[in-house]
Amino acid sequence: ADAGAAATGNIVDYIAAAAGTNDSVRTESIDNRSGLSRSIITSRRFAQGGATGATANTGCQTSAGVFGAALIDGWRPAPAVHVTCIAAAVSGYYTTTETTVDRAGNLSLTYKRTLALDLGQPQVTGVSPNAVYTANTAAGFTIGMQDDLEVIDARLRVRYANVSQGDAGFTASSGLIWNFPGFTPFATRFDASIINPFLGVLTLDMFTVSIQETCLAAASPFAACVYRGDPIGNVSSTVVKPDSVAVIVRDVFGSFVSNFVPGALFGVSNELASPILSSTVPAVGFYSVTYNTSTSCQAGGILGGPCVIAGINFRDFAATATTRTYRATEAFSTTLPIFTRVDLFGLNAVGQWVFIQRITVPAVVPVSGTIAAGAGTITGSDNGLERFWDYQFTSVPTGFTQYRALGVNASGYGLFSTRQP
């Protein structure tokens, strides 16, 4: 009797976005008694909704060959088995299996390789805001989406229409805040279940009621600003509530290639936005700053400037290749930062401020010294006239044209710092 043939192979799941794509499966087999007989190769389609396709004419075909000459260690290679998707193929998970048979009729273990053929672009079918939102808490949105194969993950954004009006390059596409750190997954490629369509709730981790900005310079872009770092909402512009929420969804292929720009590459849906009714969001809040007119003190470390005696001055302070630091200057009498969290945003190539990482301000922060906090550190210091809080983000990714910090207080009101190039 023969115990059976053994086989090993290079069989790894992979993904394609178009018919005509092909790859190959290659195995090596050995049998030291009766010898090898043949390989059994089949292809089946595990289609949308869990249906199992036939073993023939599935759209992605395999072809088998005979064993080659024995290698130096006795294993015999099988010629490459090509998995080719014809033009008429439909989207689905195509699984190729290969089993070696010896001359006694025994079977080896079965090896599998799965191709995800994802031809169509996913679609967002609906976005429904909540009836009421609370500042600095999670905010859920009901999302509907579908694909020709499977939806994998999605990303939300909240639009604050006044954001970026202080930037020289402000356009109609600006003011878009990605307020959620990354894509929310709700399905897994190549697992036992197919999620399609999807109807459920996606959640922003922390809801910001409103966002102000700070001046970029003394007289530009708003002449009413007294000093670089003033909140401009109180002097030159209107601070508004967020006016819309939008979502993009990625399918099997889109998620695999890590597309981030909506609709720019295959596998990512167009963005679908829905209005947020102003009545569902708490009233906006304002930041302000009051200076001492003395010219003998420092303001934010700048000699000859006025001192902050009330409110907050918030601006970029220092940067390296991997760190970004933002300084909040407050009255000397303050012993705790005005912010409860500080989020780092980057400006991408299409004019969107994208959430990067967060510093969560602890209940106790030293007025002199550095403390670790979330994605970076907080350093407290003073010059004898005013208090400084330095928020330093570490391990900052590259690829953004500008960076800004968003400080948010306990009431959920946000203040953008000046930007860093």
Side-chain angles (χ1 to χ4, degrees), residues 156-174:
L156 292 167
R157 72 138 170 96
V158 173
R159 182 178 189 269
Y160 299 82
N162 62 310
V163 170
S164 296
Q165 62 184 324
D167 293 343
F170 176 68
T171 65
S173 64
S174 299

Side-chain angles (χ1 to χ4, degrees), residues 9 29 56 71 86 186 217 220 227 238 245 255 304 308 320 344 350 354 397 403:
S29 305
L71 303 176
I86 62 176
F186 36 78
S220 176
Y227 181 73
T238 302
V245 61
S255 180
V308 173
T320 69
L344 181 65
V350 294
V354 180
Y403 296 86

Side-chain angles (χ1 to χ4, degrees), residues 121-122 124 127 155-159 176 178 244-249 262-263 268-274 352:
Q121 189 176 21
V124 182
V127 182
R155 189 172 192 176
L156 292 167
R157 72 138 170 96
V158 173
R159 182 178 189 269
L176 306 183
W178 289 108
S244 66
V245 61
V247 66
I248 61 172
V249 59
V268 180
S269 73
N270 293 322
E271 184 180 78
L272 178 64
S274 179
Q352 298 167 338

Side-chain angles (χ1 to χ4, degrees), residues 9 16 25 30-31 43 89 100 106-108 121 211 227 233 239 241 263 269 290 294 312 340 346 374 376 382 407 414:
V25 179
I30 191 171
D31 188 272
S43 178
T100 299
N106 300 301
L107 302 179
S108 71
Q121 189 176 21
I211 297 178
Y227 181 73
V239 179
K241 299 178 182 182
S269 73
T290 303
S294 168
I312 184 171
T340 58
D382 67 86

Side-chain angles (χ1 to χ4, degrees), residues 108-168:
S108 71
L109 296 176
T110 298
Y111 292 87
K112 297 181 180 180
R113 183 165 189 168
T114 300
L115 161 68
L117 182 65
D118 197 348
L119 300 171
Q121 189 176 21
Q123 295 180 336
V124 182
T125 56
V127 182
S128 299
N130 281 358
V132 179
Y133 292 101
T134 303
N136 278 338
T137 61
F141 301 90
T142 301
I143 310 297
M145 56 194 71
Q146 65 183 17
D147 184 51
D148 59 334
L149 177 56
E150 182 173 23
V151 289
I152 297 295
D153 55 21
R155 189 172 192 176
L156 292 167
R157 72 138 170 96
V158 173
R159 182 178 189 269
Y160 299 82
N162 62 310
V163 170
S164 296
Q165 62 184 324
D167 293 343

Side-chain angles (χ1 to χ4, degrees), residues 19-42:
T21 302
N22 66 81
D23 206 338
S24 60
V25 179
R26 179 179 179 273
T27 62
E28 293 180 356
S29 305
I30 191 171
D31 188 272
N32 291 325
R33 291 196 176 187
S34 64
L36 297 171
S37 174
R38 67 190 188 283
S39 288
I40 300 175
I41 301 175
T42 61

